[in-house]
C-alpha cells in the first residue's frame, strides 16, 4: 500500500505551495491527504490515525495527537520553531520530528521591517515620525531569521548589533555585525530590538521588566518570534512607566485586548501570525518538508531531526 502523507495546517499554505508538495509526494508514489483550516482537535486526531508522515506549521502535535498517530513515522514542521511538537512524546511513539531551518527566514525578516517602519511612522496616523537610517538595531539571537534581518537592516543604513548565546563574537562579526557580550548589553545599546529567540524553558518570560528597563529612550521592541518569550504582565507595567516605548508584534499576546486598550498609539499586533505567510516561504518550507519526508522514508536520512 502506498505511503500516505498528511498536510495538517490550521493556517493553510498558499495554493502554489500545496501544488509543489503534491508533486514531490506523488512523484515518490505516495498519496497526499489535506486537512486545512480545521476547527476541532478531533479532526486532527482522525486525520493522523492512518498516515505515515505529516507536514505541519504551528499545528499542535501534543501527546494525544502523537499517540493517536499509530502509523506515523515522521512529522515535519515546515518552518523553524518546533515548540508546537511534544518531542518526548514523539520519541516515545517512535516518531521522527524535523523542522526546515531557514526556508521561511527571509519572509519573517522582511516583516520585521514592515512592522518597524509602521511603528516609527506612528502607525501611519499622519503625524511626524522618525527614520531607521543611522539607528542602532539589536538582533536578539542570530540564527537564520536574525541573519536576514541584519542583511536588510544594512540596506536601511542601520547600525547592526547582535547577541546569540550559542555563537562566538567572531562568528557574528565576520558577517559585518557588531557582537555584544551579553543580552543586557544588547538592550542597553540598541534603540531597536528584534526578537529571534525560540520558545524554550530558558527563554519563556525572559523579556521582562528588568531587561526592558535597559532600553534607551524611544525604544521599539519587535517580536516576530514567539509570544511566550514576553513576560506579559511586566511589559504592561513597563509600558505604563515608559511612555516613550513602542511594542509591535506578529504574535498576538495573551493580553492583546489590554495592551490595545491601554497603549493604542504605541502597541500593534498583526491579527494573525503572518511572518512566514508568503507564497515563497510556504513553497520553500513545504517542499523542503516533502523532500525530507521522501528522503527519510526511502533512505533513512535524519539530517533535520530535532528529537532524540
Ligand atoms: C516558524 O517558526 O517557522 C515561524 O514562526 C512561522 O510559523 P508558521 O508556519 O506558523 O507561520
Amino acid at each position: 500500500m502506498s505511503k500516505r502523507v498528511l498536510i495538517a495546517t490550521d493556517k493553510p499554505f498558499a495554493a502554489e505551495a500545496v501544488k509543489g508538495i503534491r508533486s514531490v509526494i506523488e512523484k515518490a508514489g505516495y498519496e497526499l491527504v489535506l486537512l486545512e483550516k480545521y476547527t476541532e482537535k478531533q479532526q486532527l486526531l482522525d486525520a493522523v490515525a492512518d498516515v505515515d508522515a505529516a507536514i505541519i506549521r504551528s499545528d499542535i502535535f501534543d501527546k494525544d495527537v502523537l499517540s493517536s498517530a499509530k502509523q506515523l513515522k515522521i512529522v515535519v514542521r515546515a518552518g523553524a520553531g518546533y515548540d508546537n511538537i511534544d518531542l518526548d512524546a514523539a520519541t516515545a511513539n517512535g516518531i521522527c520530528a524535523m523542522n526546515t531551518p531557514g526556508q521561511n527566514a527571509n519572509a519573517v525578516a522582511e516583516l520585521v521591517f514592515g512592522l518597524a517602519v509602521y511603528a516609527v511612522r506612528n502607525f501611519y496616523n499622519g503625524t511626524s515620525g522618525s527614520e531607521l537610517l543611522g539607528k542602532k538595531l539589536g538582533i536578539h539571537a542570530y540564527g537564520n531569521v536574525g541573519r536576514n534581518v541584519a542583511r536588510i537592516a544594512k540596506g536601511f543604513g542601520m547600525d547592526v548589533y547582535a547577541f546569540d548565546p550559542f555563537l562566538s563574537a567572531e562568528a557574528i562579526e565576520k558577517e559585518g555585525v557588531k557582537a555584544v557580550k551579553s543580552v543586557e548589553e544588547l538592550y542597553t545599546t540598541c534603540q531597536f530590538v528584534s526578537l529571534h529567540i525560540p520558545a524554550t524553558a530558558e527563554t519563556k518570560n525572559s523579556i521582562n521588566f528588568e531587561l526592558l528597563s535597559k532600553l534607551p529612550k524611544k525604544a521599539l521592541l519587535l517580536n516576530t518570534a514567539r509570544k511566550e518569550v514576553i513576560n506579559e504582565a511586566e511589559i504592561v507595567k513597563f509600558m505604563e512607566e515608559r511612555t516613550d516605548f513602542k511594542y509591535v508584534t506578529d504574535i498576538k499576546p495573551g493580553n492583546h485586548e489590554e495592551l490595545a486598550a491601554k497603549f493604542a498609539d504605541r502597541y500593534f499586533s498583526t491579527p494573525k501570525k503572518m511572518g512566514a505567510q508568503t507564497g515563497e516561504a510556504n513553497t520553500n518550507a513545504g517542499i523542503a518538508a516533502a523532500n525530507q519526508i521522501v528522503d527519510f522514508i526511502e533512505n533513512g536520512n535524519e539530517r533535520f531531526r530535532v528529537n532524540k
Side-chain angles (χ1 to χ4, degrees):
M1 219 172 74
S2 78
K3 302 282 182 204
R4 286 163 61 81
V5 180
L6 171 71
I7 297 180
T9 47
D10 161 44
K11 183 173 61 183
F13 289 126
E16 70 211 65
V18 176
K19 202 171 156 205
I21 296 169
R22 181 181 296 283
S23 131
V24 172
I25 296 304
E26 291 181 352
K27 197 167 155 220
Y30 306 164
E31 184 192 338
L32 189 74
V33 183
L34 197 54
L35 174 70
E36 292 182 327
K37 289 188 190 169
Y38 54 93
T39 48
E40 308 297 327
K41 185 173 177 178
Q42 191 56 49
Q43 293 172 270
L44 186 57
L45 294 171
D46 293 344
V48 295
D50 61 352
V51 295
D52 304 277
I55 298 173
I56 61 171
R57 297 185 65 178
S58 294
D59 306 82
I60 308 296
F61 265 45
D62 58 12
K63 271 198 188 87
D64 298 342
V65 175
L66 290 158
S67 56
S68 300
K70 299 289 179 216
Q71 251 174 255
L72 193 71
K73 290 282 167 287
I74 176 167
V75 55
V76 184
R77 192 282 189 244
Y82 44 86
D83 46 305
N84 51 320
I85 305 176
D86 182 330
L87 296 185
D88 292 337
T91 303
N93 286 284
I95 297 165
C96 172
M98 292 188 187
N99 66 349
T100 64
Q103 300 290 347
N104 59 16
N106 180 64
V108 178
E110 287 190 10
L111 188 73
V112 169
F113 292 89
L115 291 170
V117 172
Y118 186 48
V120 296
R121 296 301 183 99
N122 300 330
F123 306 106
Y124 302 156
N125 70 2
T127 63
S128 185
S130 59
E131 301 178 18
L132 302 183
L133 180 72
K135 305 288 180 350
K136 290 185 167 68
L137 170 69
I139 301 176
H140 189 166
Y142 198 66
N144 291 307
V145 182
R147 275 193 178 83
N148 277 283
V149 169
R151 172 180 53 78
I152 300 168
K154 287 178 199 162
F156 274 97
M158 299 189 85
D159 189 10
V160 189
Y161 292 74
F163 174 75
D164 192 306
F166 301 105
L167 285 180
S168 66
E170 294 72 51
I172 291 173
E173 292 197 335
K174 80 168 194 273
E175 297 192 11
V177 170
K178 293 170 186 153
V180 291
K181 289 188 185 62
S182 65
V183 71
E184 288 77 17
E185 193 185 338
L186 190 77
Y187 283 66
T188 308
T189 308
C190 299
Q191 182 187 344
F192 294 71
V193 170
S194 189
L195 299 176
H196 302 293
I197 46 179
T200 63
E202 293 75 40
T203 64
K204 281 183 186 165
N205 287 312
S206 65
I207 311 304
N208 56 23
F209 185 89
E210 200 190 336
L211 187 60
L212 293 169
S213 300
K214 305 198 179 302
L215 287 166
K217 283 277 165 256
K218 296 198 172 168
L220 171 67
L221 180 70
L222 297 139
N223 185 9
T224 55
R226 288 290 180 272
K227 68 175 181 183
E228 291 82 1
V229 302
I230 307 273
N231 184 315
E232 293 184 343
E234 293 191 16
I235 203 166
V236 172
K237 187 170 160 240
F238 182 69
M239 290 187 80
E240 278 165 350
E241 281 189 19
R242 282 280 302 270
T243 54
D244 60 297
F245 169 81
K246 287 180 183 163
Y247 170 37
V248 288
T249 179
D250 182 37
I251 312 100
K252 209 184 239 183
N255 59 348
H256 166 74
E257 307 300 334
E258 181 185 10
L259 288 161
K262 285 189 172 157
F263 314 111
D265 55 344
R266 293 188 288 126
Y267 163 79
F268 171 78
S269 172
T270 54
K272 195 159 185 170
K273 186 168 155 231
M274 54 178 288
Q277 269 305 52
T278 66
E280 293 91 333
N282 292 170
T283 301
N284 293 343
I287 290 182
N291 281 323
Q292 286 171 217
I293 285 172
V294 174
D295 204 14
F296 172 81
I297 294 175
E298 301 300 324
N299 310 311
N301 189 337
E302 298 194 356
R303 175 163 172 221
F304 294 104
R305 185 172 187 132
V306 293
N307 64 327
K308 287 189 189 122

